Amino acid sequence: MSIMSNMESYTLQKRIKNRTESGYEKTFWEDVGPIEVSVFETDETLVHGSEKYRSASHVGFTYHEGLQSGVYRLQKDGIIYEITSCNAKIVPVNLLLKVVSSDV
């Protein structure tokens, strides 16, 4: 079975910064739209040499271009996945994801 055969629809959100009248910079997330992503949990029994891989709870693959870590995140079924690393130079795009919020 191919890892790309497990594509599911996720909501892509973009970080928007807005400055209030008092000068405070407020951040909120705006829905960009649905994208197809294949997401899998990482194997915690493996020892990784990189802190990025160690802190990631999931890995993802998508054909969507233009993603950046720290700017975009994914949401599905009340679970929010922060994109901690994104290799957009190759197709499919490899994502390292970290669950930051879960309502489930």
Side-chain angles (χ1 to χ4, degrees):
M1 182 170 105
S2 170
I3 59 172
M4 300 310 286
S5 65
N6 194 23
M7 298 288 259
E8 296 181 14
S9 182
Y10 286 75
T11 301
L12 180 65
Q13 296 180 325
K14 184 175 182 177
R15 179 188 309 257
I16 305 295
K17 295 181 181 178
N18 189 12
R19 191 165 300 275
T20 63
E21 292 178 15
S22 65
Y24 176 73
E25 193 172 85
K26 185 176 181 180
T27 302
F28 65 96
W29 294 92
E30 180 179 79
D31 288 351
V32 175
I35 66 168
E36 294 294 315
V37 184
S38 184
V39 175
F40 300 95
E41 281 190 62
T42 58
D43 187 358
E44 295 178 3
T45 61
L46 297 176
V47 177
H48 299 288
S50 170
E51 185 61 35
K52 283 184 191 178
Y53 288 97
R54 209 172 302 147
S55 66
S57 61
H58 293 75
V59 293
F61 305 94
T62 184
Y63 289 106
H64 189 85
E65 296 178 1
L67 296 177
Q68 296 175 338
S69 61
V71 177
Y72 294 97
R73 71 180 187 182
L74 302 174
Q75 181 181 19
K76 180 176 175 138
D77 299 331
I79 302 173
I80 298 172
Y81 301 89
E82 175 186 349
I83 300 175
T84 59
S85 179
C86 175
N87 186 354
K89 295 179 183 177
I90 60 173
V91 176
V93 177
N94 297 326
L95 305 171
L96 288 179
L97 306 168
K98 181 179 179 181
V99 174
V100 293
S101 176
S102 176
D103 294 338
V104 180

